[in-house]
Amino acid sequence: MLQPGEPRQRRFSKTKKGSKNRVKFRNKLARKHLKVSRQRKDFAVKTARCVVQSHDLVAYEDLKVRNMLKNRHLSKSISDAAWTQFRQWVEYFGKVFGVVTVAVPPHGTSQNCSKCGEVVKKSLSTRTHVCPHCGHTQDRDWNAARNILEIGLRTVGHMGTQALSYAEGLIASGDINLEFGWRNPSG
Ligand SMILES: [Zn+2]
């Protein structure tokens, strides 16, 4: 898999074994890796805290990243480590700030119409969801986000009465936060 800074890795491989240059390069590489991993962690923490603190419930796809990495079309755009780390921070801040976080199975989230529920088959390259049944047209990811949220709210409903009344409160209030695909399931 292509990693940021790979040319550096390649240059390192060309240095002579046991040479001073190789040692120097190895140290340089290690520092670069450390920097990238710190930046990644920083980003994950900040983004996760921001997402959790500005919402009452966070629903996300329970992605099997390992399976996706096996697909070479997908592997370019996902980093196993980055997603797993971000998700862990979301769950952590959820506990800290008392915000419900729920992972939903990804089945059908991108193929179903978030307005009428009909299945609208589309390939990965189709970026816009256009429903022939109800006419609903929306960005592919946005449509998926609405499905994920609805499943998330339903799942929370099965978790217990406290969580249920909480989810019902959210639905009743009609809170719509378009940024993250919030919607009133009746609308
Ligand atoms: Zn539809």
Side-chain angles (χ1 to χ4, degrees):
M1 191 170 62
L2 252 151
Q3 289 287 348
E6 202 202 38
R8 213 181 282 256
Q9 181 78 53
R10 216 176 298 147
R11 267 184 287 155
F12 169 71
S13 308
K14 281 180 187 160
T15 56
K16 217 171 136 199
K17 269 181 192 157
S19 70
K20 263 186 189 168
N21 202 25
R22 191 174 177 94
V23 174
K24 223 170 84 185
F25 230 110
R26 186 185 290 130
N27 287 337
K28 242 187 192 169
L29 257 178
R31 278 201 302 275
K32 179 77 184 164
H33 279 300
L34 192 63
K35 194 176 166 214
V36 168
S37 86
R38 276 186 187 143
Q39 282 171 336
R40 177 182 281 166
K41 187 194 164 191
D42 253 32
F43 179 77
V45 171
K46 279 185 194 140
T47 315
R49 195 200 287 124
C50 173
V51 166
V52 169
Q53 281 195 299
S54 51
H55 296 85
D56 296 316
L57 179 144
V58 181
Y60 45 89
E61 272 184 277
D62 192 9
L63 294 176
K64 300 283 176 278
V65 180
R66 250 162 245 290
N67 293 344
M68 292 168 79
L69 287 170
K70 280 181 205 150
N71 179 328
R72 65 188 175 86
H73 297 291
L74 290 172
S75 61
K76 274 184 219 154
S77 53
I78 345 154
S79 155
D80 191 359
W83 167 252
T84 306
Q85 193 176 53
F86 175 68
R87 183 184 157 157
Q88 281 167 349
W89 282 106
V90 165
E91 286 162 0
Y92 168 78
F93 284 120
K95 285 193 189 105
V96 170
F97 297 114
V99 170
V100 179
T101 58
V102 52
V104 311
H107 181 76
T109 44
S110 62
Q111 305 295 324
N112 297 352
C113 176
S114 63
K115 196 168 185 192
C116 72
E118 291 284 343
V119 177
V120 184
K121 286 270 169 223
K122 53 180 92 63
S123 70
L124 251 181
S125 57
T126 308
R127 301 313 304 169
T128 308
H129 166 85
V130 181
C131 181
H133 308 280
C134 74
H136 182 58
T137 302
Q138 195 164 38
D139 172 79
R140 173 201 180 93
D141 295 334
W142 198 301
N143 178 66
R146 283 165 44 126
N147 286 328
I148 292 163
L149 178 65
E150 190 173 326
I151 300 165
L153 286 171
R154 253 188 287 147
T155 311
V156 169
H158 294 300
M159 271 162 39
T161 48
Q162 202 187 347
L164 177 61
S165 63
Y166 182 80
E168 279 173 349
L170 286 177
I171 296 164
S173 69
D175 265 352
I176 296 173
N177 180 340
L178 288 175
E179 193 190 346
F180 280 91
W182 285 80
R183 79 180 186 116
N184 186 336
S186 62

Coordinates of all heavy atoms in Angstrom, one line a residue, residues 76-166:
K76 N -7.2 2.6 -1.6 CA -6.5 3.8 -1.8 C -7.0 4.9 -0.9 O -6.3 5.8 -0.5 CB -6.6 4.3 -3.2 CG -5.6 3.7 -4.2 CD -5.7 4.3 -5.5 CE -5.5 3.2 -6.6 NZ -6.2 3.5 -7.8
S77 N -8.3 4.9 -0.6 CA -8.9 6.0 0.1 C -9.2 5.7 1.6 O -9.6 6.6 2.3 CB -10.2 6.4 -0.6 OG -11.0 5.2 -0.7
I78 N -8.8 4.6 2.1 CA -9.0 4.3 3.5 C -7.7 3.9 4.2 O -7.0 3.2 3.6 CB -10.0 3.2 3.8 CG1 -10.7 2.7 2.6 CG2 -10.9 3.5 5.0 CD1 -11.2 1.3 2.7
S79 N -7.6 4.4 5.4 CA -6.5 3.9 6.1 C -7.0 3.2 7.4 O -7.8 3.8 8.1 CB -5.6 5.1 6.6 OG -4.9 4.7 7.7
D80 N -6.7 2.0 7.5 CA -7.2 1.2 8.6 C -6.9 1.9 9.9 O -7.8 2.1 10.7 CB -6.5 -0.2 8.5 CG -7.1 -1.2 9.5 OD1 -8.1 -0.9 10.2 OD2 -6.6 -2.3 9.5
A81 N -5.7 2.2 10.1 CA -5.3 2.8 11.4 C -6.0 4.1 11.7 O -6.5 4.3 12.8 CB -3.8 3.1 11.4
A82 N -6.1 5.0 10.7 CA -6.8 6.3 10.9 C -8.2 6.1 11.3 O -8.7 6.8 12.2 CB -6.6 7.1 9.6
W83 N -9.0 5.3 10.6 CA -10.4 5.1 10.9 C -10.6 4.5 12.2 O -11.4 5.0 13.0 CB -11.1 4.3 9.8 CG -12.5 3.9 10.2 CD1 -12.9 2.7 10.5 CD2 -13.6 4.7 10.4 NE1 -14.2 2.7 10.9 CE2 -14.7 3.9 10.8 CE3 -13.8 6.1 10.2 CZ2 -15.9 4.4 11.1 CZ3 -15.1 6.6 10.5 CH2 -16.1 5.8 10.9
T84 N -9.9 3.5 12.5 CA -10.0 2.8 13.8 C -9.7 3.7 14.9 O -10.4 3.8 15.9 CB -9.1 1.6 13.8 OG1 -9.3 0.8 12.7 CG2 -9.3 0.7 15.1
Q85 N -8.7 4.5 14.8 CA -8.3 5.5 15.8 C -9.4 6.5 16.0 O -9.8 6.8 17.1 CB -7.0 6.1 15.4 CG -6.3 6.9 16.6 CD -5.0 7.4 16.2 OE1 -4.9 8.1 15.2 NE2 -4.0 7.1 17.0
F86 N -9.9 7.1 14.9 CA -10.9 8.1 15.0 C -12.1 7.6 15.7 O -12.7 8.2 16.6 CB -11.3 8.6 13.6 CG -12.4 9.5 13.6 CD1 -12.3 10.8 14.1 CD2 -13.6 9.2 13.0 CE1 -13.4 11.7 14.1 CE2 -14.7 10.1 13.0 CZ -14.6 11.3 13.5
R87 N -12.5 6.4 15.3 CA -13.7 5.7 15.9 C -13.5 5.5 17.4 O -14.5 5.7 18.2 CB -13.9 4.4 15.2 CG -15.2 3.7 15.7 CD -15.3 2.4 15.0 NE -16.1 1.5 15.8 CZ -16.8 0.5 15.4 NH1 -16.7 0.2 14.1 NH2 -17.5 -0.2 16.2
Q88 N -12.4 5.1 17.8 CA -12.1 4.9 19.2 C -12.2 6.2 20.0 O -12.7 6.2 21.1 CB -10.7 4.3 19.4 CG -10.7 2.8 19.1 CD -9.3 2.2 19.0 OE1 -8.3 2.9 19.0 NE2 -9.2 0.9 19.0
W89 N -11.7 7.3 19.4 CA -11.8 8.5 20.1 C -13.3 9.0 20.2 O -13.7 9.6 21.2 CB -10.9 9.6 19.5 CG -9.5 9.4 19.8 CD1 -8.5 8.9 19.0 CD2 -8.9 9.7 21.1 NE1 -7.3 8.9 19.7 CE2 -7.5 9.4 21.0 CE3 -9.4 10.2 22.3 CZ2 -6.6 9.5 22.1 CZ3 -8.5 10.3 23.4 CH2 -7.2 10.0 23.2
V90 N -14.1 8.8 19.1 CA -15.5 9.1 19.1 C -16.2 8.4 20.3 O -16.9 9.0 21.1 CB -16.2 8.8 17.8 CG1 -17.7 8.8 17.9 CG2 -15.7 9.8 16.7
E91 N -15.9 7.1 20.4 CA -16.5 6.3 21.5 C -16.0 6.8 22.9 O -16.8 6.8 23.8 CB -16.2 4.8 21.3 CG -17.0 4.3 20.1 CD -16.5 2.9 19.5 OE1 -15.5 2.4 20.0 OE2 -17.1 2.4 18.6
Y92 N -14.8 7.1 22.9 CA -14.2 7.6 24.2 C -14.9 8.9 24.6 O -15.4 9.1 25.7 CB -12.7 7.8 24.1 CG -12.1 8.6 25.2 CD1 -11.9 8.0 26.5 CD2 -11.8 9.9 25.1 CE1 -11.3 8.7 27.5 CE2 -11.3 10.7 26.2 CZ -11.0 10.0 27.4 OH -10.5 10.7 28.4
F93 N -15.0 9.9 23.7 CA -15.6 11.2 24.1 C -17.1 11.0 24.3 O -17.7 11.8 25.0 CB -15.3 12.2 23.0 CG -13.9 12.8 23.0 CD1 -13.0 12.6 22.0 CD2 -13.4 13.4 24.2 CE1 -11.7 13.1 22.0 CE2 -12.1 13.9 24.3 CZ -11.3 13.7 23.2
G94 N -17.7 10.1 23.6 CA -19.1 9.8 23.8 C -19.3 9.4 25.3 O -20.3 9.9 25.9
K95 N -18.5 8.6 25.9 CA -18.6 8.3 27.3 C -18.3 9.5 28.2 O -19.0 9.7 29.1 CB -17.6 7.1 27.6 CG -18.1 5.8 27.1 CD -17.2 4.6 27.7 CE -17.6 3.3 27.0 NZ -16.5 2.9 26.1
V96 N -17.3 10.2 27.8 CA -16.9 11.4 28.6 C -18.0 12.4 28.7 O -18.3 13.0 29.7 CB -15.6 12.0 28.1 CG1 -15.3 13.3 28.8 CG2 -14.4 11.0 28.3
F97 N -18.6 12.7 27.5 CA -19.6 13.8 27.5 C -21.0 13.3 27.5 O -21.9 14.1 27.3 CB -19.4 14.6 26.2 CG -18.0 15.3 26.2 CD1 -17.1 15.0 25.3 CD2 -17.7 16.3 27.1 CE1 -15.8 15.6 25.2 CE2 -16.5 17.0 27.1 CZ -15.5 16.6 26.2
G98 N -21.2 12.0 27.7 CA -22.6 11.4 27.8 C -23.3 11.5 26.5 O -24.5 11.8 26.5
V99 N -22.6 11.3 25.4 CA -23.3 11.4 24.1 C -23.4 9.9 23.6 O -22.4 9.2 23.6 CB -22.5 12.3 23.1 CG1 -23.0 12.1 21.7 CG2 -22.6 13.7 23.5
V100 N -24.6 9.6 23.1 CA -24.8 8.2 22.6 C -24.0 8.0 21.3 O -24.1 8.8 20.4 CB -26.3 7.9 22.4 CG1 -26.4 6.5 21.8 CG2 -27.1 8.0 23.6
T101 N -23.2 7.0 21.2 CA -22.5 6.7 20.0 C -23.0 5.3 19.5 O -23.0 4.4 20.4 CB -21.0 6.7 20.1 OG1 -20.6 5.7 21.1 CG2 -20.4 8.0 20.5
V102 N -23.3 5.1 18.3 CA -23.8 3.8 17.9 C -23.3 3.4 16.5 O -23.3 4.2 15.5 CB -25.4 3.8 17.9 CG1 -26.0 5.0 17.2 CG2 -25.9 2.5 17.4
A103 N -22.7 2.2 16.4 CA -22.2 1.7 15.2 C -23.3 0.9 14.5 O -23.9 0.0 15.1 CB -21.0 0.8 15.5
V104 N -23.6 1.2 13.3 CA -24.6 0.4 12.6 C -24.0 -0.4 11.5 O -23.0 -0.1 10.9 CB -25.7 1.4 12.0 CG1 -26.2 2.4 13.0 CG2 -25.2 2.1 10.7
P105 N -24.6 -1.6 11.2 CA -24.1 -2.5 10.2 C -24.3 -1.8 8.8 O -25.3 -1.1 8.6 CB -25.0 -3.7 10.2 CG -26.1 -3.4 11.2 CD -25.8 -2.2 11.9
P106 N -23.2 -1.8 8.0 CA -23.2 -1.0 6.7 C -24.2 -1.6 5.7 O -24.3 -0.9 4.6 CB -21.8 -1.1 6.3 CG -21.2 -2.3 7.0 CD -22.0 -2.5 8.2
H107 N -24.8 -2.7 5.9 CA -25.7 -3.3 4.9 C -26.8 -2.3 4.4 O -27.6 -1.9 5.1 CB -26.3 -4.6 5.4 CG -27.2 -5.2 4.4 ND1 -26.6 -6.0 3.4 CD2 -28.5 -5.3 4.2 CE1 -27.6 -6.5 2.6 NE2 -28.7 -6.0 3.1
G108 N -26.7 -2.0 3.1 CA -27.7 -1.2 2.4 C -27.7 0.3 2.6 O -28.5 1.0 2.1
T109 N -26.8 0.7 3.4 CA -26.8 2.2 3.8 C -26.6 3.1 2.6 O -27.1 4.2 2.5 CB -25.7 2.5 4.8 OG1 -24.5 1.8 4.5 CG2 -26.1 2.1 6.2
S110 N -25.8 2.6 1.6 CA -25.6 3.5 0.4 C -26.6 3.2 -0.7 O -26.8 4.0 -1.6 CB -24.1 3.3 -0.1 OG -23.9 2.0 -0.5
Q111 N -27.2 2.0 -0.7 CA -28.0 1.6 -1.8 C -29.5 1.9 -1.5 O -30.3 2.1 -2.5 CB -28.0 0.0 -2.0 CG -26.5 -0.5 -2.3 CD -25.9 0.0 -3.6 OE1 -26.6 0.2 -4.6 NE2 -24.6 0.3 -3.5
N112 N -29.9 2.1 -0.3 CA -31.3 2.4 0.0 C -31.6 3.9 -0.1 O -30.7 4.7 0.2 CB -31.7 1.9 1.4 CG -31.6 0.4 1.5 OD1 -31.3 -0.3 0.5 ND2 -31.8 -0.1 2.7
C113 N -32.8 4.2 -0.6 CA -33.2 5.6 -0.6 C -33.6 6.0 0.8 O -34.4 5.4 1.5 CB -34.4 5.8 -1.6 SG -35.1 7.4 -1.6
S114 N -33.0 7.1 1.2 CA -33.2 7.6 2.6 C -34.6 8.3 2.8 O -35.0 8.6 3.9 CB -32.1 8.5 3.0 OG -32.1 9.7 2.2
K115 N -35.3 8.5 1.6 CA -36.6 9.1 1.7 C -37.7 8.1 1.7 O -38.6 8.1 2.6 CB -36.8 10.1 0.6 CG -37.9 11.1 0.9 CD -37.9 12.2 -0.1 CE -39.1 13.2 0.3 NZ -39.3 14.2 -0.8
C116 N -37.7 7.2 0.7 CA -38.7 6.2 0.6 C -38.4 4.8 1.0 O -39.2 3.9 1.1 CB -39.3 6.2 -0.8 SG -38.2 5.4 -2.1
G117 N -37.1 4.5 1.1 CA -36.6 3.2 1.6 C -36.4 2.2 0.5 O -35.9 1.1 0.8
E118 N -36.8 2.5 -0.8 CA -36.6 1.6 -1.9 C -35.1 1.4 -2.1 O -34.3 2.3 -1.9 CB -37.2 2.1 -3.1 CG -38.7 2.1 -3.1 CD -39.4 0.7 -3.3 OE1 -38.7 -0.2 -3.8 OE2 -40.5 0.6 -2.9
V119 N -34.7 0.2 -2.7 CA -33.3 -0.1 -3.0 C -33.0 0.6 -4.4 O -33.7 0.3 -5.3 CB -33.0 -1.6 -3.1 CG1 -31.6 -1.9 -3.5 CG2 -33.3 -2.3 -1.7
V120 N -32.0 1.4 -4.4 CA -31.5 2.0 -5.7 C -30.1 1.6 -5.9 O -29.2 2.2 -5.3 CB -31.7 3.5 -5.6 CG1 -31.3 4.1 -7.0 CG2 -33.1 3.9 -5.2
K121 N -29.9 0.5 -6.7 CA -28.6 0.0 -6.9 C -27.7 1.0 -7.6 O -28.1 1.7 -8.5 CB -28.6 -1.3 -7.8 CG -29.2 -2.5 -7.1 CD -28.0 -3.3 -6.5 CE -28.6 -4.3 -5.5 NZ -27.8 -4.4 -4.2
K122 N -26.4 1.1 -7.1 CA -25.5 2.1 -7.7 C -24.1 1.5 -7.5 O -23.8 0.9 -6.5 CB -25.7 3.5 -7.2 CG -25.6 3.6 -5.7 CD -25.8 5.0 -5.2 CE -27.3 5.4 -4.9 NZ -27.9 4.7 -3.8
S123 N -23.2 1.8 -8.5 CA -21.8 1.4 -8.3 C -21.1 2.5 -7.5 O -21.6 3.5 -7.3 CB -21.2 1.2 -9.7 OG -21.0 2.5 -10.3
L124 N -19.9 2.1 -7.1 CA -19.1 3.1 -6.3 C -18.8 4.4 -7.0 O -18.7 5.4 -6.4 CB -17.7 2.4 -6.0 CG -17.5 2.0 -4.6 CD1 -16.1 1.4 -4.4 CD2 -17.7 3.2 -3.6
S125 N -18.8 4.3 -8.4 CA -18.4 5.6 -9.1 C -19.6 6.5 -9.2 O -19.5 7.7 -9.6 CB -17.9 5.2 -10.5 OG -18.8 4.4 -11.2
T126 N -20.8 6.0 -8.9 CA -22.0 6.8 -9.0 C -22.1 7.6 -7.7 O -22.3 7.1 -6.6 CB -23.3 6.0 -9.1 OG1 -23.1 5.1 -10.2 CG2 -24.5 6.9 -9.3
R127 N -21.8 9.0 -7.8 CA -21.7 9.8 -6.6 C -23.0 10.4 -6.2 O -23.0 11.1 -5.1 CB -20.6 10.9 -6.8 CG -19.2 10.4 -7.2 CD -18.7 9.3 -6.3 NE -18.7 9.6 -4.9 CZ -18.6 8.8 -3.9 NH1 -18.4 7.5 -4.1 NH2 -18.6 9.2 -2.6
T128 N -24.0 10.3 -7.0 CA -25.3 11.0 -6.7 C -26.4 9.9 -6.6 O -26.5 9.1 -7.5 CB -25.7 12.0 -7.7 OG1 -24.6 12.9 -7.8 CG2 -26.9 12.9 -7.2
H129 N -27.2 10.0 -5.5 CA -28.3 9.1 -5.4 C -29.5 9.7 -6.1 O -29.9 10.8 -5.7 CB -28.6 8.8 -3.9 CG -29.9 8.2 -3.6 ND1 -30.1 6.9 -3.6 CD2 -31.1 8.8 -3.3 CE1 -31.4 6.6 -3.3 NE2 -32.0 7.7 -3.1
V130 N -30.0 9.0 -7.1 CA -31.2 9.5 -7.7 C -32.3 8.4 -7.7 O -32.1 7.3 -8.3 CB -31.0 9.9 -9.2 CG1 -32.2 10.4 -9.9 CG2 -29.8 10.9 -9.3
C131 N -33.3 8.6 -6.9 CA -34.4 7.6 -6.7 C -35.4 7.6 -7.8 O -36.1 8.6 -7.9 CB -35.0 7.7 -5.3 SG -36.2 6.5 -5.0
P132 N -35.6 6.5 -8.6 CA -36.6 6.5 -9.6 C -38.0 6.3 -9.0 O -39.0 6.5 -9.7 CB -36.2 5.3 -10.5 CG -35.4 4.4 -9.6 CD -34.8 5.3 -8.5
H133 N -38.1 6.0 -7.7 CA -39.4 5.7 -7.1 C -40.0 7.0 -6.5 O -41.2 7.2 -6.7 CB -39.2 4.6 -6.0 CG -38.5 3.4 -6.5 ND1 -39.2 2.4 -7.2 CD2 -37.2 3.0 -6.3 CE1 -38.3 1.4 -7.4 NE2 -37.1 1.8 -7.0
C134 N -39.2 7.8 -5.9 CA -39.8 9.0 -5.2 C -39.2 10.3 -5.7 O -39.6 11.4 -5.3 CB -39.7 8.9 -3.7 SG -38.0 9.2 -3.1
G135 N -38.1 10.1 -6.6 CA -37.5 11.3 -7.1 C -36.5 12.0 -6.2 O -35.8 13.0 -6.6
H136 N -36.2 11.4 -5.1 CA -35.2 12.0 -4.2 C -33.8 12.0 -4.8 O -33.4 10.9 -5.2 CB -35.3 11.2 -2.8 CG -34.3 11.7 -1.8 ND1 -34.4 13.0 -1.3 CD2 -33.3 11.1 -1.2 CE1 -33.4 13.2 -0.5 NE2 -32.7 12.1 -0.3
T137 N -33.2 13.2 -4.8 CA -31.9 13.3 -5.4 C -31.0 13.9 -4.3 O -31.3 14.9 -3.7 CB -31.9 14.2 -6.6 OG1 -32.8 13.6 -7.6 CG2 -30.5 14.3 -7.3
Q138 N -29.8 13.2 -4.1 CA -28.9 13.7 -3.0 C -27.5 13.1 -3.2 O -27.4 12.0 -3.8 CB -29.5 13.2 -1.7 CG -28.9 13.9 -0.5 CD -29.7 13.7 0.8 OE1 -30.2 12.6 1.0 NE2 -29.8 14.7 1.6
D139 N -26.6 13.8 -2.7 CA -25.2 13.3 -2.8 C -25.2 11.9 -2.2 O -25.9 11.6 -1.2 CB -24.3 14.2 -2.0 CG -22.9 13.6 -1.8 OD1 -22.1 13.7 -2.8 OD2 -22.6 13.1 -0.7
R140 N -24.5 11.0 -2.8 CA -24.4 9.6 -2.3 C -24.1 9.4 -0.8 O -24.8 8.7 -0.1 CB -23.3 8.9 -3.2 CG -23.0 7.5 -2.8 CD -21.7 7.1 -3.3 NE -21.4 5.7 -2.9 CZ -21.7 4.7 -3.7 NH1 -22.2 4.8 -4.9 NH2 -21.4 3.4 -3.2
D141 N -23.1 10.1 -0.4 CA -22.6 10.0 1.0 C -23.7 10.6 2.0 O -23.9 10.1 3.1 CB -21.3 10.6 1.2 CG -20.2 9.9 0.4 OD1 -20.3 8.7 0.2 OD2 -19.2 10.6 0.1
W142 N -24.3 11.6 1.5 CA -25.3 12.3 2.3 C -26.5 11.4 2.5 O -27.0 11.2 3.6 CB -25.7 13.6 1.6 CG -26.4 14.6 2.5 CD1 -27.5 14.4 3.1 CD2 -26.0 16.0 2.7 NE1 -27.9 15.6 3.8 CE2 -26.9 16.5 3.6 CE3 -24.9 16.7 2.3 CZ2 -26.9 17.8 4.0 CZ3 -24.8 18.0 2.7 CH2 -25.8 18.6 3.6
N143 N -26.9 10.8 1.4 CA -28.0 9.8 1.5 C -27.7 8.7 2.4 O -28.5 8.3 3.2 CB -28.3 9.3 0.1 CG -29.4 8.2 0.0 OD1 -30.6 8.5 0.3 ND2 -29.0 7.0 -0.3
A144 N -26.5 8.2 2.3 CA -26.0 7.1 3.2 C -26.0 7.5 4.7 O -26.5 6.8 5.6 CB -24.6 6.6 2.8
A145 N -25.6 8.8 4.9 CA -25.6 9.3 6.3 C -27.0 9.4 6.9 O -27.1 9.0 8.1 CB -24.9 10.7 6.3
R146 N -28.0 9.7 6.1 CA -29.3 9.8 6.6 C -29.8 8.4 7.0 O -30.5 8.2 8.0 CB -30.3 10.4 5.5 CG -30.1 11.9 5.5 CD -30.8 12.5 4.2 NE -32.1 12.0 3.8 CZ -33.1 12.8 3.6 NH1 -33.0 14.1 3.8 NH2 -34.3 12.3 3.2
N147 N -29.4 7.4 6.1 CA -29.8 6.0 6.4 C -29.1 5.5 7.7 O -29.7 4.9 8.6 CB -29.4 5.1 5.3 CG -30.3 5.2 4.1 OD1 -31.5 5.5 4.2 ND2 -29.8 5.0 2.9
I148 N -27.8 5.9 7.8 CA -27.1 5.5 9.0 C -27.7 6.1 10.3 O -27.9 5.4 11.3 CB -25.6 5.9 8.9 CG1 -24.9 5.1 7.8 CG2 -24.8 5.7 10.2 CD1 -23.6 5.7 7.3
L149 N -28.1 7.3 10.2 CA -28.7 8.0 11.4 C -30.0 7.3 11.7 O -30.2 7.1 12.9 CB -28.9 9.5 11.1 CG -29.6 10.2 12.3 CD1 -28.7 10.2 13.5 CD2 -30.0 11.6 11.9
E150 N -30.8 7.0 10.7 CA -32.1 6.4 11.0 C -31.9 5.0 11.7 O -32.6 4.7 12.7 CB -32.9 6.3 9.8 CG -34.4 5.9 10.2 CD -35.3 5.9 9.0 OE1 -35.2 6.8 8.1 OE2 -36.2 5.1 9.0
I151 N -31.0 4.2 11.1 CA -30.7 2.9 11.7 C -30.2 3.1 13.2 O -30.5 2.4 14.1 CB -29.7 2.1 10.9 CG1 -30.3 1.9 9.5 CG2 -29.4 0.7 11.5 CD1 -29.3 1.4 8.5
G152 N -29.3 4.1 13.3 CA -28.7 4.4 14.6 C -29.8 4.7 15.6 O -29.8 4.2 16.7
L153 N -30.7 5.6 15.3 CA -31.8 5.9 16.2 C -32.7 4.7 16.5 O -33.1 4.5 17.6 CB -32.7 7.0 15.6 CG -32.0 8.4 15.5 CD1 -32.9 9.4 14.7 CD2 -31.9 9.0 16.9
R154 N -32.9 3.9 15.5 CA -33.7 2.7 15.7 C -33.0 1.7 16.7 O -33.6 1.1 17.6 CB -34.0 2.0 14.4 CG -35.5 2.1 14.0 CD -35.8 1.3 12.8 NE -35.2 1.8 11.6 CZ -34.7 1.0 10.6 NH1 -34.8 -0.3 10.6 NH2 -34.2 1.6 9.5
T155 N -31.7 1.6 16.4 CA -30.9 0.7 17.3 C -30.9 1.2 18.7 O -31.0 0.4 19.6 CB -29.4 0.7 16.8 OG1 -29.4 0.5 15.4 CG2 -28.6 -0.4 17.5
V156 N -30.7 2.5 18.9 CA -30.7 3.0 20.3 C -32.1 2.7 20.9 O -32.1 2.4 22.1 CB -30.5 4.6 20.2 CG1 -30.8 5.2 21.5 CG2 -29.1 4.9 19.8
G157 N -33.1 2.7 20.1 CA -34.4 2.3 20.6 C -34.5 0.9 21.2 O -35.3 0.7 22.1
H158 N -33.6 0.0 20.7 CA -33.7 -1.3 21.2 C -32.7 -1.5 22.4 O -32.6 -2.6 23.0 CB -33.2 -2.3 20.1 CG -34.2 -2.4 19.0 ND1 -35.5 -2.8 19.2 CD2 -34.1 -2.1 17.7 CE1 -36.1 -2.7 18.0 NE2 -35.3 -2.3 17.1
M159 N -32.1 -0.4 22.8 CA -31.0 -0.6 23.8 C -31.6 -0.5 25.3 O -30.9 -0.8 26.2 CB -29.9 0.4 23.6 CG -28.8 -0.1 22.7 SD -27.8 1.1 22.0 CE -27.5 2.3 23.3
G160 N -32.8 0.0 25.4 CA -33.3 0.1 26.8 C -34.2 1.4 26.8 O -34.2 2.2 26.0
T161 N -35.0 1.4 27.9 CA -36.0 2.5 28.0 C -35.4 3.9 28.1 O -35.9 4.8 27.5 CB -36.9 2.3 29.2 OG1 -36.1 2.0 30.3 CG2 -37.9 1.1 28.9
Q162 N -34.3 4.0 28.8 CA -33.6 5.3 29.0 C -33.2 5.8 27.6 O -33.5 6.9 27.2 CB -32.5 5.1 29.9 CG -32.1 6.5 30.6 CD -30.8 6.3 31.4 OE1 -30.3 5.3 31.6 NE2 -30.3 7.5 31.7
A163 N -32.5 4.9 26.9 CA -32.0 5.3 25.6 C -33.2 5.6 24.6 O -33.1 6.5 23.8 CB -31.1 4.2 25.0
L164 N -34.2 4.8 24.8 CA -35.4 4.9 23.9 C -36.0 6.3 24.1 O -36.3 7.0 23.1 CB -36.4 3.8 24.2 CG -37.7 3.9 23.4 CD1 -37.4 3.7 21.9 CD2 -38.6 2.8 23.8
S165 N -36.3 6.7 25.3 CA -36.9 8.0 25.6 C -36.0 9.1 25.1 O -36.5 10.1 24.6 CB -37.3 8.1 27.0 OG -36.1 8.2 27.8
Y166 N -34.7 8.8 25.2 CA -33.8 9.8 24.7 C -33.9 10.0 23.2 O -34.0 11.1 22.6 CB -32.4 9.3 25.0 CG -31.3 10.3 24.6 CD1 -31.0 11.4 25.4 CD2 -30.5 10.1 23.5 CE1 -30.0 12.3 25.0 CE2 -29.6 10.9 23.1 CZ -29.3 12.0 23.8 OH -28.3 12.9 23.5

